[in-house]
Amino acid sequence: MKSTPKLLLSFFMLLFIYGCHDDRDDVLVASDELEIKNFIWRAMNDMYLYKADVPNLADDRFANQEELNEFLRGYSSPEELFYEGLVADFDDFSFLVQDYRALEKLLDGINTSNGMQYGVVAYPPGSQNVVGYVRYVLPNTSAEEQGVKRGDLFNSIDGVELHRENYSRLLQQQSYTIGMAEFTEGEIIATGETINLQKEEYTTNPVYIATTFETTNGTVGYLMYNGFTGTFDDVLNNTFAYFKAEGVQDLIVDLRYNGGGSVETASDLASMITGQFTGEIFSKEQWNEEYQELLESTAPESLVNLFDDKIRTGAAINSLGLGKVYFITTLRTASASELVINGLKPYIDVIQVGENTTGKFQASTTLYDSPNFRRNGANTGHSYAVQPLIYKSLNVNNVTDYSEGLSPDVEIKEDFTDLGVLGDPNEPLLAAVLSLIEGRTSEMSVKNGIFEVLGESSNYDLLHQMMYTEDPDLPGT
């Protein structure tokens, strides 16, 4: 049996759908379940990266449609069919949604949030006790209004002490009250203060911090970038125009909380950092065997992503022309973030500071119930969609399969008891990179935390650690 995280996410997605869509008049549920299951099987049989690892997806698995229908009827729901019958055991990233409009909102950076972006750890390590810590706060949200700030600790929700078994459920509520705590002499102590937080629909700008520092080595640009969201590509590009105008000579890209996003945005970010490699291969794609053969023979150009000189709006990319870049990473750095790092390594010096990344090198796309799986012409009888892994990414030197993550050149782990202020040159991870740039490596304070990380706020986002392509260029579509 598959593990349950994505099944739970499907449940939470239902809550999100009904929380975000007040007008349900345009929702049609005319399709019967067998029709939906047939679409799901057809989509996975066609494009799933790991098709060869799932016997139920083999082209000769069923002699006729009735045999296939009988198989599909054996699963109690489309969700059970997908997660228990069609997804490879080792695949924790492919997923199914009941309403693709909600997914499309997420792809545009729109979700429900109270603004508190947090991590959750067991403390002491190995115990049942859980403490949450605030990583950062989104602007113009309930958390900002209530004065929540990075480094705040909480150990209860609605008066219930947090434990391994309950923290996930309690933190998924639309509104809740956090009980504040503090770290005193090695113990987590409740302060008695409480803060009520309310989730609302929110559009997240992934460019969280963009600033510069004057150092002995010249002007250093610092970008904290928290998601590869295509609808904010112009904001990202304008940020690089600012860096260019400031005469940035060294660049720090902080991806510590960036779980990924659009492949196109990733290649554009790489082009903004550089600019001297336009038209050269940034990354390659490797699909399932059938699609790989088809694409190699009919559209080989579609299997490479190039360094570009324009963003998707057609605006010229503001490039810095750098020969070196510094990345801050943690275990939360995944997917499109890793794609940028891996894609740049063959071309320029890439210095990575922080922790090992997640190790996610596959891309997905949204498949709709239409003849060519595109949004246009989708079945109006239901709103299910499939988001399967469809290819794995390689850099120009064919480096891929980094399932253990990308290792840092300098290892420093965040310490929830001493996080510092993001964007402040004294914040531990940023300070370490500035020390490297100025040649003060002996002054770096290397920390290796012993905390047992259990989860984070983004765990409940279906796009968590996803790398996706919005519109794959396929023959005949």
Side-chain angles (χ1 to χ4, degrees):
M1 300 287 284
K2 289 285 292 178
S3 57
T4 58
K6 285 297 182 183
L7 288 170
L8 289 174
L9 281 176
S10 293
F11 170 72
F12 291 131
M13 193 66 178
L14 276 175
L15 298 181
F16 171 74
I17 291 165
Y18 283 95
C20 292
H21 292 78
D22 294 327
D23 182 2
R24 304 293 296 170
D25 292 340
D26 62 339
V27 176
L28 299 177
V29 290
S31 293
D32 63 30
E33 192 169 89
L34 184 60
E35 182 180 6
I36 295 169
K37 289 177 179 177
N38 265 286
F39 148 63
I40 294 169
W41 184 88
R42 184 170 62 90
M44 296 294 282
N45 164 263
D46 184 71
M47 209 172 294
Y48 185 39
L49 173 61
Y50 298 115
K51 173 181 175 178
D53 298 288
V54 182
N56 289 332
L57 292 175
D59 293 339
D60 59 358
R61 171 69 172 82
F62 306 103
N64 51 51
Q65 183 64 45
E66 186 49 44
E67 271 194 21
L68 172 58
N69 288 345
E70 188 63 25
F71 164 77
L72 299 176
R73 291 189 188 101
Y75 291 88
S76 62
S77 66
E79 289 75 18
E80 184 184 40
L81 167 68
F82 184 80
Y83 293 109
E84 304 294 343
L86 303 182
V87 175
D89 290 339
F90 51 82
D91 176 7
D92 292 325
F93 297 104
S94 297
F95 62 88
L96 174 74
V97 293
Q98 291 191 15
D99 191 330
Y100 52 69
R101 288 160 300 183
L103 174 61
E104 289 166 349
K105 280 194 169 188
L106 289 173
L107 292 170
D108 287 337
I110 304 170
N111 61 4
T112 56
S113 176
N114 57 32
M116 182 177 72
Q117 305 300 293
Y118 59 83
V120 178
V121 299
Y123 193 84
S127 74
Q128 293 299 309
N129 297 326
V130 165
V131 61
Y133 65 98
V134 180
R135 290 176 174 163
Y136 63 100
V137 174
L138 296 171
N140 304 313
T141 60
S142 175
E144 184 184 61
E145 291 172 3
Q146 297 299 320
V148 177
K149 62 185 182 303
R150 176 173 166 84
D152 283 348
L153 306 181
F154 59 93
N155 65 347
S156 68
I157 297 291
D158 296 333
V160 179
E161 189 173 346
L162 295 179
H163 295 285
R164 288 176 184 262
E165 294 77 17
N166 67 11
Y167 77 87
S168 179
R169 171 177 54 83
L170 293 172
L171 284 164
Q172 291 314 298
Q173 300 174 98
Q174 191 71 11
S175 64
Y176 53 77
T177 299
I178 57 174
M180 309 306 290
E182 60 185 13
F183 188 74
T184 304
E185 296 181 353
E187 295 186 11
I188 303 295
I189 307 296
T191 66
E193 179 188 0
T194 60
I195 297 176
N196 182 258
L197 299 175
Q198 177 71 40
K199 294 180 182 178
E200 297 178 345
E201 186 169 284
Y202 185 81
T203 302
T204 303
N205 178 356
V207 178
Y208 189 69
I209 299 173
T211 190
T212 61
F213 304 104
E214 292 302 323
T215 72
T216 57
N217 206 51
T219 303
V220 176
Y222 172 75
L223 167 66
M224 185 167 197
Y225 189 55
N226 292 335
F228 291 79
T229 310
T231 50
F232 284 88
D233 283 359
D234 57 338
V235 177
L236 180 63
N237 198 33
N238 290 338
T239 298
F240 275 78
Y242 158 68
F243 287 150
K244 197 169 183 178
E246 292 295 309
V248 163
Q249 296 163 276
D250 288 290
L251 178 67
I252 304 168
V253 182
D254 192 339
L255 300 174
R256 74 180 77 185
Y257 304 135
N258 192 319
S262 166
V263 171
E264 182 174 351
T265 300
S267 62
D268 286 349
L269 174 58
S271 300
M272 293 172 196
I273 293 169
T274 56
Q276 62 270 42
F277 306 112
T278 300
E280 297 190 46
I281 294 174
F282 168 64
S283 65
K284 303 177 185 179
E285 300 173 4
Q286 184 173 321
W287 296 61
N288 68 37
E289 184 177 355
E290 295 168 25
Y291 256 107
Q292 190 71 18
E293 291 179 0
L294 175 65
L295 292 170
E296 285 178 354
S297 61
T298 61
E301 70 283 354
S302 70
L303 292 171
V304 295
N305 298 294
L306 307 177
F307 286 92
D308 202 358
D309 58 2
K310 293 181 177 64
I311 60 173
R312 70 186 72 209
T313 65
I317 283 179
N318 296 305
S319 300
L320 298 182
L322 298 178
K324 177 187 291 186
V325 65
Y326 298 83
F327 289 106
I328 295 176
T329 66
T330 65
L331 291 172
R332 276 74 63 189
T333 305
S335 210
S337 291
E338 295 170 296
L339 174 63
V340 173
I341 296 170
N342 190 48
L344 282 175
K345 280 186 175 180
Y347 292 96
I348 64 175
D349 291 334
V350 173
I351 312 300
Q352 186 180 334
V353 176
E355 296 179 86
N356 237 52
T357 61
T358 296
K360 165 71 166 45
F361 47 86
Q362 309 98 326
S364 69
T365 197
T366 308
L367 302 182
Y368 302 89
D369 188 3
S370 68
N372 61 2
F373 304 116
R374 295 296 180 86
R375 176 70 150 86
N376 186 35
N379 188 339
T380 58
H382 69 89
S383 52
Y384 271 89
V386 179
Q387 188 84 17
L389 298 178
I390 58 170
Y391 67 77
K392 65 179 182 178
S393 180
L394 308 80
N395 70 13
V396 69
N397 293 337
N398 297 319
V399 175
T400 186
D401 295 332
Y402 38 85
S403 57
E404 299 301 314
L406 302 173
S407 301
D409 299 285
V410 178
E411 183 178 14
I412 306 177
K413 297 184 179 182
E414 278 199 321
D415 178 352
F416 81 87
T417 68
D418 182 26
L419 288 174
V421 177
L422 291 172
D424 187 305
N426 295 312
E427 184 272 314
L429 272 66
L430 176 55
V433 184
L434 291 172
S435 294
L436 280 176
I437 291 172
E438 294 190 314
R440 298 182 288 107
T441 55
S442 61
E443 298 179 24
M444 291 173 52
S445 174
V446 179
K447 296 183 178 181
N448 292 300
I450 60 171
F451 308 112
E452 182 185 358
V453 179
L454 300 179
E456 57 188 323
S457 47
S458 59
N459 281 145
Y460 312 107
D461 178 350
L462 278 174
L463 297 181
H464 176 58
Q465 297 182 338
M466 293 304 297
M467 174 168 62
Y468 53 84
T469 178
E470 295 91 337
D471 196 19
D473 185 14
L474 302 175
T477 62

